[in-house]
Amino acid sequence: MEEFDYVIVGAGAAGCVLANRLSASGKHSVAILEAGGKDNNIFIKIPAGFNKTVYNPKLNWGYETAPGPYIDNRKIPFPRGRVIGGSGSINGHLYVRGQSADYDMWAQLGCRGWSWDDVLPYFKRAETRGNGGGDPSVRGNNGPLSIEDQRDPHDLSEAYMATNEALGLRRTPDYNSGNQEGTFLYQQMMRGGRRWSPADAYLRPALSRPNLKLIQRALAEAIVFEGKRAVGIRYTQEGSAPITIRARRDVILSGGAINTPQLLQISGVGDPEWLSGIGVDVVHALPGVGKNLRDHYAVRVSALVKGVGSLNERSRGVRLAMEVLRYAFTRKGLLTASPSHAGGYMKTREGLDTPDMQLYFAPASYPTGRYGVTELDTQPGMTLGCSQLRPESKGWLKALSADPRAKPEIQPNYLQDQMDRDALLAAMKYMRQLLQTRPLADYVIAENFPGPAVQTDDEWMAHARATGSTTYHPIGSCKMGIDPMAVVDPASMKVIGLEGLRVADASCMPTMVSGNTYAATNMIAEKAADLIAA
Ligand SMILES: Cc1cc2nc3c(=O)[nH]c(=O)nc-3n(C[C@H](O)[C@H](O)[C@H](O)COP(=O)(O)OP(=O)(O)OC[C@H]3O[C@@H](n4cnc5c(N)ncnc54)[C@H](O)[C@@H]3O)c2cc1C
């Protein structure tokens, strides 16, 4: 039986960081198990390849949400990366840290050591600012994660930012400084115009170390316990007989906000009622496992444009062939695009201390304007999106079977909370106002989604319920904290009440951060590596 000091489950955003940092000293042996395979698909490397990877079943767990009671009982596709690099290999590569207040809130909730001042050194340690600048007191320039400014900003993005300014939202030089309010072009996790995934940044550079072993296509099926101590993982490799790998020090779960709580539950750690429902014996009762699931829910508005080209026309035929050549020779153009180009952080009502809404803009559009469609429209268009930053709506993640291959129930409960609905309503109206204000209005032929039939608050909310979607940011399902629903001890990343078992991934976040969740996950893993090594 193979034995290592640390056994990490999941080579995603967090797992890759941990594998690198924990093996760096050479003193400890580390094994990292990944259910997916190699990340050599060409569309992973090309930033705009996002559209080709997001629903690719070979790279994906292919989840969907349970019917949402507040969104017309719709189920929503819920991609998670199942490949080296995890969701970090298939994500939209926008780099967003959130607000300093997010982390100060974590500290107030009992997560000592996780305030903005505490975590800033880890954000800085992780990053290199590539072609971008930034204030060195808040930005790093010597870390593995490459963050670039956009290489080829579009005229429509400029018009979008100018219109936000006309409506009172100033331009911010760096929304990742802790104070994010304003409008801006998104920073991307890219190096030299190529996606820079967690595998590129952290895992590959460490794989030549003799004390690090990557085991691919290895599905962790159960945590092996001796009493209250985790001593290893049982996994199968492409249908093999079960293999046990032992951890002398720790098993570290980095399977993400869906798979980490599922693995805990099917291994006997969770709400006893839930475990008995699937016939799993309780190893340790911990009612918070799988609860507190939160996600961002986004709604779109789109318009047909005139007087300027959009990305739509460049995405097919001869023009696409020219873009491919341009990318090959200059690393610029359509193929370096993220799903969103420009954006904003704004307050939807008076009296808020910090923004509560994230705005997205793309000089491109989809035929129906809806999520879940990856082909761009044939006519020139643009898309505006919004999602509330810190939703109050909470849901759960529940294993429906003890079978590790069975998909769990994912219920984010989008739009459950009135505050979330109110914030979204204000932002949807603001997006229409943007389309009606110059200079953006100069380019608008017509708003085609949802279009003029939607006027009243009720009609806007019907639009939100019927067409909104995930922005792929589940967090919180094994939250750090000190209250009875906490799962992870913030001082050590240990699963509360157990030995030899830690969690470090997006599931640990106690509350939602104000923005896309990769940067915060990367930071959690950077800090967790220090806590675990200590
Ligand atoms: C389509 C999409 C777009 C996104 N866009 C952005 C964006 O633009 N910016 C941003 O900041 N964030 C974005 N995100 C979110 C971001 O990628 C995640 O927050 C982040 O990757 C979470 O990291 P993680 O380590 O918790 O999980 P993941 O990165 O998902 O890694 C988990 C890994 O564990 C593996 N695993 C799980 N269970 C097992 C098991 N039982 N055995 C073995 N291996 C297992 C998985 O295969 C996976 O590789 C996006 C996510 C998606 C899916």
Side-chain angles (χ1 to χ4, degrees), residues 186 206 276 503:
Y186 278 105
S276 79
V503 176

Side-chain angles (χ1 to χ4, degrees), residues 9-15 33-36 50 54 61 63 78-96 189 198 218-221 254-257 259-260 262-263 338-339 404 471-475 504-507 509 515-522:
V9 175
L33 305 180
E34 169 53 49
F50 171 84
V54 62
W61 290 86
Y63 295 131
F78 205 81
R80 307 309 303 159
R82 181 178 179 147
V83 58
I84 300 295
S87 301
S89 284
I90 65 161
N91 70 11
H93 33 78
L94 303 181
Y95 185 75
V96 178
M189 291 175 280
L219 177 72
E221 298 195 348
S254 298
N259 292 40
T260 287
Q262 181 195 18
L263 184 59
S338 286
T471 56
Y472 321 111
H473 298 158
I475 59 108
D505 59 20
S507 72
M509 297 185 203
N516 314 54
T517 44
Y518 182 93
T521 307
N522 191 105

Side-chain angles (χ1 to χ4, degrees), residues 104-235:
D104 291 341
M105 171 60 79
W106 291 8
Q108 277 179 35
L109 290 171
C111 299
R112 281 181 69 184
W114 292 88
S115 72
W116 173 248
D117 287 347
D118 293 316
V119 302
L120 182 57
Y122 291 101
F123 279 120
K124 289 174 70 179
R125 168 167 114 176
E127 71 178 10
T128 289
R129 276 294 278 129
N131 63 351
D135 173 358
S137 70
V138 279
R139 302 307 302 265
N141 218 359
N142 219 6
L145 194 63
S146 171
I147 315 298
E148 291 189 347
D149 286 344
Q150 276 174 44
R151 305 168 79 82
D152 205 7
H154 195 278
D155 289 347
L156 279 171
S157 301
E158 176 52 40
Y160 170 83
M161 290 188 289
T163 309
N164 271 314
E165 278 187 295
L167 292 174
L169 193 63
R170 68 180 178 97
R171 260 178 227 238
T172 168
D174 184 5
Y175 63 85
N176 277 319
S177 65
N179 173 10
Q180 56 179 195
E181 187 163 10
T183 184
F184 50 80
L185 291 173
Y186 278 105
Q187 298 163 18
Q188 293 171 278
M189 291 175 280
M190 222 159 67
R191 187 155 129 179
R194 187 175 165 272
R195 177 199 288 277
W196 200 239
S197 77
D200 298 317
Y202 287 93
L203 187 62
R204 259 185 285 283
L207 278 179
S208 56
R209 296 177 189 156
N211 59 327
L212 175 63
K213 180 170 181 180
L214 167 66
I215 309 176
Q216 301 178 58
R217 300 210 171 278
L219 177 72
E221 298 195 348
I223 303 160
V224 181
F225 286 100
E226 284 174 3
K228 294 267 180 183
R229 182 173 187 89
V231 294
I233 286 287
R234 198 172 65 240
Y235 70 95

